Amino acid sequence: MIYSFSNSGYRDPETGVYNQTYFMEIFNREWHRHIRENQSLALLYLCPHIDETLKQPHLLELFIKKVQEGIMRTTDVVARLNLDNFALGLFNIDQSGTQTVIDRIELKLIEFNLEYQKKHPHQIEYEIAACVCRPKADLNIEAIFEDMNDLSHQLEQQRERHYAMHCINLH
């Protein structure tokens, strides 16, 4: 593959999804648009658990491609936050729409794990934390990210459930 300098500033080189800086720019712009248009949006954190001893070339890239197949809308955005965690921005969506997207992602990840287990004795576990909100001028954008960090830490400690959803100021 030939390296593209045009993508180097906003794409994660390993997975091809947006990087954290670019995601924050997009999310901030959409936040303010959703305030003006009185629409709700969702922020999802996806935390796959890939042990360092299991890491193989392109494993994370293949995993996140399955996630992208579950999203389906071109307006939604996926970004890599750090080594193994991802953020998804779902725009102009409510709680039931967010649940539908989570269900589709989980189906795609089941497919991924079935294929992966044909060659490996284990599967890739993960958590998805979701926060749905209707942005308002008095609602601080950092609050949604703080809630997501808290929610994803709770999920990581529980590990019985694959996902949890939290709604902020929907009414």
Side-chain angles (χ1 to χ4, degrees):
M1 181 168 91
I2 298 173
Y3 185 76
S4 169
F5 286 101
S6 64
N7 287 336
S8 64
Y10 60 90
R11 295 274 184 193
D12 172 60
E14 184 181 2
T15 61
V17 299
Y18 293 119
N19 63 29
Q20 180 180 10
T21 303
Y22 192 71
F23 177 81
M24 295 305 235
E25 288 177 27
I26 292 171
F27 198 85
N28 185 53
R29 182 185 67 230
E30 289 298 317
W31 180 269
H32 292 287
R33 184 179 70 81
H34 282 64
I35 290 172
R36 285 190 312 272
E37 297 178 7
N38 195 28
Q39 298 173 330
S40 57
L41 55 74
L43 174 65
L44 280 63
Y45 275 15
L46 172 64
C47 307
H49 301 287
I50 301 175
D51 189 334
E52 282 297 319
T53 60
L54 305 177
K55 284 206 173 182
Q56 304 159 13
H58 306 291
L59 178 61
L60 199 52
E61 180 183 9
L62 295 171
F63 183 87
I64 206 65
K65 280 192 187 308
K66 278 295 186 186
V67 171
Q68 289 176 304
E69 287 175 18
I71 295 173
M72 299 172 83
R73 298 186 321 168
T74 58
T75 56
D76 298 332
V77 180
V78 180
R80 190 170 189 177
L81 294 180
N82 53 40
L83 276 178
D84 294 316
N85 296 320
F86 296 85
L88 291 79
L90 310 178
F91 306 113
N92 192 17
I93 196 165
D94 60 9
Q95 188 172 352
S96 66
T98 303
Q99 185 62 57
T100 299
V101 172
I102 291 170
D103 292 344
R104 284 196 314 250
I105 290 171
E106 289 209 306
L107 285 174
K108 290 296 181 179
L109 292 179
I110 288 169
E111 286 177 20
F112 173 85
N113 273 320
L114 288 173
E115 192 63 33
Y116 185 74
Q117 285 180 306
K118 289 179 182 177
K119 298 177 185 172
H120 304 88
H122 48 274
Q123 65 179 7
I124 306 299
E125 297 202 12
Y126 60 90
E127 286 93 36
I128 299 175
C131 185
V132 181
C133 75
R134 185 174 307 275
K136 296 187 178 191
D138 62 343
L139 180 61
N140 189 342
I141 191 171
E142 284 84 20
I144 193 172
F145 287 94
E146 289 170 8
D147 282 357
M148 289 305 296
N149 281 329
D150 294 345
L151 192 56
S152 62
H153 289 307
Q154 289 172 12
L155 277 174
E156 192 170 341
Q157 290 175 351
Q158 292 174 5
R159 288 238 178 144
E160 301 98 46
R161 297 186 336 199
H162 283 291
Y163 74 90
M165 189 180 313
H166 178 66
C167 298
I168 300 175
N169 204 12
L170 269 177
H171 301 291

